[in-house]
């Protein structure tokens, strides 16, 4: 009778979930019979963590920005801030009012 050699366990490295992509837990399998020893599980994507980027008021001396937002985890811009440059100098008696 030949004694069974047992499993030769190989680790399958997991992958962290990101804001947009699913990840996987660590797992392992036997390199001889390919039986899963520890099955990998899917870790759902986390989704963005939104941060509001406050708008800046337009003045006659500086341009402004509309309100926007980005993800605090991956820094992806979720809502782009737009430039506001509508106010011009208005002079009265040589001074900007």
């Amino acid at each position: 009778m030949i004694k069974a050699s047992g499993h030769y366990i190989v680790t399958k490295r997991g992958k962290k979930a990101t804001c947009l992509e699913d990840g996987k837990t660590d797992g392992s399998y036997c390199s001889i019979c390919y039986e899963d020893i520890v099955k990998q599980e899917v870790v759902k994507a986390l989704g963005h963590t939104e941060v509001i980027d406050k708008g800046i008021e337009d003045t006659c001396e500086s341009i402004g920005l509309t309100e926007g937002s980005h993800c605090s985890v991956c820094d992806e811009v979720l809502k782009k801030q737009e430039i506001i440059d509508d106010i011009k100098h208005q002079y009265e008696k040589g001074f900007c009012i």
Side-chain angles (χ1 to χ4, degrees):
M1 179 179 203
I2 299 174
K3 183 179 176 184
S5 62
H7 291 296
Y8 287 94
I9 298 175
V10 176
T11 301
K12 290 193 256 184
R13 301 286 296 170
K15 175 182 146 187
K16 280 187 163 187
T18 66
C19 295
L20 300 176
E21 293 183 9
D22 291 345
K24 285 190 175 183
T25 60
D26 287 342
S28 61
Y29 68 96
C30 174
S31 65
I32 296 172
C33 68
Y34 299 102
E35 179 182 337
D36 278 330
I37 307 300
V38 176
K39 187 174 180 172
Q40 287 185 297
E41 301 292 331
V42 173
V43 178
K44 291 289 184 186
L46 306 171
H48 290 299
T49 302
E50 184 177 20
V51 174
I52 301 299
D53 302 316
K54 291 184 180 182
I56 300 171
E57 188 175 341
D58 184 28
T59 69
C60 64
E61 295 180 345
S62 63
I63 60 173
L65 292 171
T66 61
E67 183 176 274
S69 64
H70 70 279
C71 176
S72 66
V73 177
C74 70
D75 286 329
E76 181 175 334
V77 174
L78 304 176
K79 182 179 178 187
K80 182 180 176 185
Q81 289 184 292
E82 301 293 332
I83 293 174
I84 305 169
D85 191 14
D86 294 335
I87 299 177
K88 304 296 180 211
H89 287 286
Q90 295 178 1
Y91 293 99
E92 188 175 295
K93 297 182 182 179
F95 296 98
C96 180
I97 55 170

